[in-house]
Amino acid sequence: MSPFEGVKRRFLAKIRLRSPLARRFWMPLPCQSLIRNDEVINHERRSSVKLATFLHENSEQWGFVWADPVTAELRIVEPGLAEAALAGSGGGTSGYAASRPSFLGTWPGTLADFLALGDEGMAVLDRLERFLARFASQSDATILDTISHAVADVELLAPIPRPRLCLGLVTNSPSFARANPRIEHLNLFPVAHQRPQGTVVGGGAAVLMRNGHHDPLMSFNVELGVIIGRGGREIPLNEAMRHVAGYTNVTDVAGTYYYGRVPGNAGRGYSLPAEYGDWFFQATASWGGKIADTLCPVGPFLVTKDEVGDPYDLLVYTRQDGRQRDRAHTSATILGVERVIQWYSSFATLHPGDILHLGTMGVDGLAIPREVVERREVVLESEIEQLGVLRNPVQVVPVGERVPFDRHPSYAIRRAAQEPPTDAATWHPDDARHVFTAFGNHIGAPGEGLPRLQVPRFFTGPASSLGADGSRVVLPARATVVEVTIELAAIIGRLASDVDPDDAESYIAGLAPVVSLCDESFGDAVAEPARLGERHIPAVYGRWGDGFNVIGALEPQSGRWRGRRMRLDSGDESISGSTDDYLDGAAEMLATISAVTTLFPGDVILLGRTAATLRLPVSGGVVAGEVEGLGRVRAEIVRASAGGATDGEASA
């Protein structure tokens, strides 16, 4: 019997002991199976660390991974417990009685908060680990019993289980252009999508396919995950690696739900009829299938960059049920870590714990037919050399059944389920974790090449793109023209999953006016002839800058959103519109998105631009917008100078 079959049998035996509810919706693989015996850490040769986040007694903890010196069992050491135990060890006869070791004293509560300490924090952690290794070797190895947990005894989460940013690149491998005669050159900027927190799960957690998301097929591949340590804005290329904490495996999973929603298109996989062929809907169908709950396993650990060495010289393996599906190499990327960090930070701030995953390096989208997924347990396996092995079982949720929030494989969703509903009186843009924006959602869109469809177009964006009323919006130094719109926003009141269209209004806490900016300089960077994604993605990225969507006060949901006048003013320029110009409202958008993706309390749905739009030169000024019955919202626009400061004085 192969080692994998042994793991599989133990896994299935464990499942049979559980209740039907747990068996159906939450079946983590044994944590011991996440690392093979030949992956045990050797402390005699290590100078850097593997970091993990886990649940112990329903509490989120983090630590560094250690192999027990006697049993070789993998354990996770909590730094705070380790420092306290070392300080109190041995009594008056200890060799450390007069000089107790001291490290950080108080350790951050989450791994993301620890990463914010930067290289200084890593240096202290490394010193603690080295000291602990000597202490266990020379003095008392039983200290491990009180400061660590066996990996097999805890629920291993993604290293950053609730990432603020989870940015995934697409078409970033030379293989996309290598044999395609239609591609004459490549634009060297990322084409990427943003994943919400509910997509991220750790090793062993179930990948759920609900509402037929796997019909007629699902697909997956392994990608290199980059975890940001030190945050920053306007990061130069030659400084980018200083902002990287380490690397991890990311399994990029996708399904076909939104393709199947197209009338007459069920069962056609990743193909669309001609009338649904515009890039914005193609991206909605493709990326909407990636942002579904649990479809982004990450882990098992964060491996620090010093341990990895050259991130472009690692072998990559993708397996299904232990059988190899693909082999690749991390050098097979068009844009590397440095360029992605430089590009993103040119318009938005990177924060500790942000995750960037760089796209497939081999075959894109390894397909698994519906019949295989439904017939037996399928286990997805991703491995990048030195980063360990990430394994996740796939489970099909029968159509019509709901996944209990308190038993959900996604830790972020379980946490959000414990939160109170959104309070309209106290809600602030900082409370949002996700922003969903409609595109082509106004009566003038057909004239712009976006015909009305029965399935709305939408994209997920970073919550940092929201700003509070009166905010100063700093545009990049390269910006010359900005498109400004007055829009309608809906704020989600409670955890929303698989929402019935007839009940969608009850999930909305209220409405608010939004002044939204789109920096047109992204389009200036496109060299033609360009691929569709390169040509059209600037309309999405242009709204992603820090605070580019300035949102006014939240008014409790009154039930009427149509028939409200809208107005936008900037200096001597003014334009008016109406919420009647929208094709779909927040309820329709919510029902569409929540079919596979859970929205959190405080999240924002932007109904998108209408004809009430101004194109303004970036010379500094104040823009004010108003939606009838919802009040006014005001934004001050300035532009950063080449040195990172701002120029342009505000004018009334």
Side-chain angles (χ1 to χ4, degrees), residues 106-120:
T106 301
W107 290 79
T110 68
L111 181 51
D113 289 339
F114 169 73
L115 297 181
L117 300 179
D119 291 342
E120 295 79 8

Side-chain angles (χ1 to χ4, degrees), residues 58 101 193 200 286-287 322 333 336 371 376 403-404 518 614 623:
N58 207 33
H193 57 87
V200 175
S286 175
W287 298 352
T333 55
E371 295 78 9
R376 56 180 170 79
V403 182
C518 183
L614 296 174
V623 177

Side-chain angles (χ1 to χ4, degrees), residues 331-379:
S331 64
T333 55
I334 297 170
L335 298 174
V337 179
E338 298 92 338
R339 293 192 73 148
V340 176
I341 289 175
Q342 178 196 38
W343 168 83
Y344 189 88
S345 69
S346 71
F347 62 92
T349 304
L350 284 167
H351 294 264
D354 286 351
I355 299 175
L356 316 172
H357 53 105
L358 301 189
T360 182
M361 295 155 283
V363 176
D364 183 45
L366 297 164
I368 308 177
R370 171 181 58 82
E371 295 78 9
V372 173
V373 179
E374 293 182 350
R375 184 171 64 243
R376 56 180 170 79
E377 196 78 55
V378 170
V379 177

Side-chain angles (χ1 to χ4, degrees), residues 356-639:
L356 316 172
H357 53 105
L358 301 189
T360 182
M361 295 155 283
V363 176
D364 183 45
L366 297 164
I368 308 177
R370 171 181 58 82
E371 295 78 9
V372 173
V373 179
E374 293 182 350
R375 184 171 64 243
R376 56 180 170 79
E377 196 78 55
V378 170
V379 177
L380 310 180
E381 185 174 312
S382 298
E383 179 180 8
I384 299 178
E385 187 180 5
Q386 298 189 48
L387 303 186
V389 183
L390 177 65
R391 297 187 181 95
N392 297 85
V394 178
Q395 295 181 36
V396 175
V397 181
V399 175
E401 288 198 20
R402 294 178 179 271
V403 182
F405 290 141
D406 62 345
R407 298 174 185 265
H408 205 285
S410 165
Y411 171 66
I413 291 176
R414 298 204 304 268
R415 279 283 300 259
Q418 301 172 18
E419 299 174 6
T422 301
D423 184 347
T426 61
W427 180 87
H428 188 275
D430 290 344
D431 297 332
R433 280 155 286 197
H434 314 114
V435 180
F436 302 89
T437 303
F439 282 80
N441 187 37
H442 63 99
I443 58 176
E448 301 169 356
L450 297 177
R452 183 169 189 178
L453 304 175
Q454 293 191 37
V455 185
R457 307 170 183 89
F458 69 91
F459 292 86
T460 310
S464 57
S465 66
L466 293 177
D469 184 19
S471 294
R472 167 180 279 203
V473 183
V474 181
L475 296 171
R478 63 175 182 264
T480 57
V481 176
V482 62
E483 181 183 86
V484 185
T485 63
I486 177 67
E487 302 179 6
L488 186 64
I491 288 75
I492 302 302
R494 54 193 171 104
L495 207 60
S497 176
D498 211 7
V499 174
D500 188 296
D502 294 334
D503 193 35
E505 295 283 355
S506 69
Y507 285 82
I508 297 173
L511 305 174
V514 179
V515 167
S516 181
L517 280 62
C518 183
D519 173 12
E520 295 190 358
S521 68
F522 285 96
D524 297 338
V526 179
E528 295 287 354
R531 294 178 292 174
L532 283 178
E534 296 169 342
R535 184 177 301 134
H536 294 297
I537 195 68
V540 180
Y541 290 159
R543 302 172 59 107
W544 278 13
D546 289 343
F548 273 29
N549 300 279
V550 181
I551 190 164
L554 172 61
E555 291 292 329
Q557 172 69 290
S558 63
R560 183 182 72 87
W561 66 274
R562 290 201 180 272
R564 297 177 185 263
R565 293 188 301 273
M566 301 193 297
R567 181 181 175 89
L568 185 65
D569 299 291
S570 177
D572 295 332
E573 295 194 59
S574 178
I575 194 166
S576 298
S578 169
T579 56
D580 284 337
D581 293 343
Y582 285 121
L583 300 177
D584 291 307
E588 292 85 357
M589 297 302 303
L590 175 58
T592 298
I593 298 167
S594 70
V596 293
T597 300
T598 298
L599 288 79
F600 290 14
D603 283 353
V604 175
I605 296 176
L606 301 176
L607 295 189
R609 63 180 290 272
T610 68
T613 300
L614 296 174
R615 292 182 73 248
L616 304 174
V618 181
S619 57
V622 172
V623 177
E626 181 178 9
V627 176
E628 181 187 1
L630 300 179
R632 292 175 63 82
V633 58
R634 177 182 176 277
E636 178 188 354
I637 302 174
V638 298
R639 181 175 59 183

